[in-house]
Amino acid sequence: EPEVTQTPSHQVTQMGQEVILRCVPISNHLYFYWYRQILGQKVEFLVSFYNNEISEKSEIFDDQFSVERPDGSNFTLKIRSTKLEDSAMYFCASSDVVGHTEAFFGQGTRLTVV
Amino acid sequence: DQQVKQNSPSLSVQEGRISILNCDYTNSMFDYFLWYKKYPAEGPTFLISISSIKDKNEDGRFTVFLNKSAKHLSLHIVPSQPGDSAVYFCAAGQSGNTPLVFGKGTRLSVIA
């Protein structure tokens, strides 16, 4: 069964460092998303991406964040200068139809900023 | 601002019995509702959905009920199995490419 793959599963980084989280969406999907879940809190939307551009972003997704689809298969989330409060599980998701409905999620990357 | 609320952080049910997970929402613009299941160290897995034009959707052991006037939906699992033990997230959205809004989740434990 096709699945969304995220690497690494766990990333530890020092505050102020740049981090890149990687995702390989399902191959025929066209819509890509990043969500995050801070420990003990709800899953929150960060950004959606379609046709090589951001289609929507939340207020969490500030100038420190960026997304890219550098080739035909990867979808990355970059945090330029990490803060302690960026520590969370980051989930990539993709869907083959417009909208987040029935989006398929990856297993997540746990980011720990120390 | 909790647009989607799951007021029960946890629920324990005996194997074979019915599990009922509840979810309330406040935004009347939501017209699509989903349930996701999440195991530890895995991402949310889509389980079942319902659009606002229906009040019930069934898929095997899983049934979602929607009460639009009460802005309430519930997920019924019957019969419950130990493998159903997971965190269940309710999510809501609007037609089109709008973000899903998630509840905080309910941890279901099915006891053998």
Side-chain angles (χ1 to χ4, degrees):
Chain A
E1 187 176 321
E3 58 182 15
V4 176
T5 307
Q6 290 184 244
T7 54
S9 57
H10 191 188
Q11 172 92 42
V12 181
T13 189
Q14 287 210 315
M15 191 168 56
Q17 294 294 305
E18 175 183 286
V19 67
I20 297 176
L21 310 182
R22 300 180 194 282
C23 170
V24 179
I26 293 172
S27 62
N28 63 334
H29 284 187
L30 301 175
Y31 302 87
F32 315 112
Y33 318 95
W34 284 99
Y35 285 79
R36 78 172 185 190
Q37 185 184 24
I38 294 172
L39 187 64
Q41 298 187 25
K42 61 182 179 180
V43 176
E44 300 174 293
F45 167 74
L46 292 178
V47 66
S48 58
F49 192 87
Y50 169 68
N51 201 25
N52 281 320
E53 60 182 25
I54 291 173
S55 46
E56 190 158 2
K57 60 183 181 180
S58 72
E59 56 190 30
I60 301 169
F61 194 88
D62 61 22
D63 292 344
Q64 293 300 311
F65 291 86
S66 62
V67 289
E68 194 178 29
R69 189 154 161 80
D71 52 43
S73 59
N74 290 285
F75 179 51
T76 61
L77 174 70
K78 182 193 291 186
I79 308 174
R80 195 166 302 123
S81 177
T82 49
K83 304 188 282 285
L84 294 176
E85 54 264 38
D86 293 328
S87 297
M89 281 290 288
Y90 287 81
F91 295 107
C92 172
S94 68
S95 63
D96 60 353
V97 294
V98 66
H100 299 227
T101 55
E102 301 177 27
F104 290 81
F105 282 78
Q107 81 280 20
T109 293
R110 179 173 296 285
L111 176 65
T112 303
V113 182
V114 297
Chain B
D1 173 28
Q2 281 193 73
Q3 295 187 67
V4 177
K5 298 180 196 178
Q6 293 177 257
N7 291 319
S8 298
S10 62
L11 175 69
S12 284
V13 171
Q14 205 79 29
E15 181 180 7
R17 299 288 186 104
I18 184 171
S19 296
I20 301 176
L21 298 104
N22 293 302
C23 178
D24 298 292
Y25 63 96
T26 56
N27 188 342
S28 56
M29 298 297 290
F30 290 144
D31 58 8
Y32 206 89
F33 305 90
L34 307 89
W35 285 94
Y36 281 86
K37 180 166 89 169
K38 185 181 178 302
Y39 293 118
E42 292 186 16
T45 303
F46 170 74
L47 199 55
I48 192 169
S49 63
I50 188 167
S51 81
S52 58
I53 62 172
K54 302 175 88 172
D55 54 20
K56 177 182 172 182
N57 188 25
E58 194 171 347
D59 183 3
R61 297 186 297 115
F62 303 92
T63 304
V64 55
F65 294 92
L66 175 63
N67 182 335
K68 287 188 292 293
S69 60
K71 294 193 177 72
H72 176 85
L73 63 153
S74 60
L75 173 69
H76 293 212
I77 307 172
V78 57
S80 302
Q81 298 172 353
D84 296 329
S85 297
V87 177
Y88 288 79
F89 291 99
C90 170
Q94 296 173 240
S95 301
N97 196 19
T98 59
L100 290 174
V101 179
F102 283 82
K104 286 189 174 183
T106 296
R107 181 178 301 280
L108 174 67
S109 300
V110 180
I111 305 158

